[in-house]
Amino acid sequence: MKPAKIDTTNYRDHLSNVTQTGKRIWIYPRIVAGQFYKLRTYFSWLLLGLLLGLPWVEVDGHPIFLFNVLERRFIFFGVTFFPQDFHLVAIGLLTFIVFIILFTVIFGRVWCGWACPQTIFMEMLFRKVEILIEGDHNAQRRLDTQPWTTEKIWKKTLKHFIFVVLSFLIANVFLAYLIGKKALLAVIFDNPLNHLVGLFSIIIFTAVFYFVFARFRELVCIVVCPYGRLQGVMLDKKSIVVAYDFIRGEIRGKHQTATEKEVALAKNEPVHGSCIDCKICVQVCPTGIDIRNGTQLECIGCTACIDACDEVMDKIEEPRGLIRYASVEGIEQKKKLKFSGRIAAYSLVLVALLGILGFLLITRNMVETTILRAPGLTYQESKDGTVSNLYNVQVLNKSYQKIPVQFHLKGNNGQIKMIGKSLMVQSGEVAESSFFIILPTKSLKESSVKLEIEVISEGKIIDVVKTKFLGPIQD
């Protein structure tokens, strides 16, 4: 028996959601509630709970997550980051990018189908509302093509009203991530005239989310999302993706029993594969592609085609897995999916990167001190045989408690004389002051001496800062 050849006559040569004239094809995905769909549903409800609930969780009176771009203040897992922590942010972004690349190389576009907020909100929230009101994919298609009857008007009105309400709620949650829970509640319950910027932001975000989930839909994944556009250069034949087993599935055609296949072989006629060309895998795809054409840009790895195909295989009494999680190499060489050395190596790299970032976060100093000599001034000599330099100091408190700060000259017989009162640094703020460093003139061996200043709070050294002291050279 000769191996079946792949039928390429029907391979796509244009976008799946656009006609030959460039007009958009509206997609009505069929819903098949298979095992993967159920798992995705449970996982999505968990993620929805986290996405919608995290902005309201606080640690010591501060949000657990905050992305305040305007004030350049960011909180991750209750830890506040300031512009002074840019190096940590840069390392974190680099780690995240490498993580995404390596994760995609190994596991394909799993993120898009299982955890992306766009997919979760669209498929597990807005799509369910649409089905509940308008019916399944066939009912939706009929409703859109029929005249504007009373039924169509009230169904469309109800659906879009709920869409606007959901978009409004999502917009509020999104704004809570940007400005915090307290600021959002002030926008909601205070006089709107006192918060015109916040009110305007909610209106804009509501309009954007409504447009995305009511009209733009799969185009976000196909056109806008940079990750979706880049996945083609990240995948290789060993990447685990949602794939069609073309060796087992071809040649497509009417289902043949074992006896019918033997008769076809005896007559030298084509022997059909497991794919009966029912096209249900195409009907369930939320981006409208035919997974049998191979891995494509539009595939978000949602596993809808796996559930649909498994259901068909059960009906025709064929083994499941014609469409499954697999690599192209695994299909070609008929290898089962397993945890290979390649996957283990990449996973170790990911764990190492996350470990480095975690170590930097754990050892991160909660106080950052900047000490600079006062500009435009040189040293001052006194009659008592000492030399002084004037310094300006800034102390940033990254913690959630106010802290008193004193300064001590390390390993030197000099002293520090504050100008004004001792510093009390409030939470999340920068305190400024000035002080003199006074050294005996005889102790100066060079015109520039390196010094270390200990920053002390409640008897503990919380930071050590290096600076330079200028003075006359002694003979």
Side-chain angles (χ1 to χ4, degrees), residues 459-472:
K460 297 181 180 179
I461 299 175
I462 57 176
D463 198 6
V464 177
V465 184
K466 294 181 180 180
T467 188
K468 290 184 178 181
F469 184 93
L470 301 182

Side-chain angles (χ1 to χ4, degrees), residues 207-256:
V208 170
F209 286 126
Y210 171 76
F211 172 72
V212 166
F213 296 116
R215 298 301 306 171
F216 209 52
R217 300 195 166 191
E218 77 281 351
L219 294 180
V220 173
C221 306
I222 298 174
V223 178
V224 177
C225 179
Y227 176 58
R229 307 290 291 182
L230 288 172
Q231 73 153 341
V233 298
M234 299 181 191
L235 301 179
D236 59 22
K237 284 191 172 185
K238 295 182 179 180
S239 300
I240 301 169
V241 295
V242 175
Y244 165 67
D245 188 341
F246 52 86
I247 294 179
R248 174 188 158 190
E250 303 296 323
I251 303 171
R252 306 173 197 171
K254 181 181 177 181
H255 177 61
Q256 294 176 325

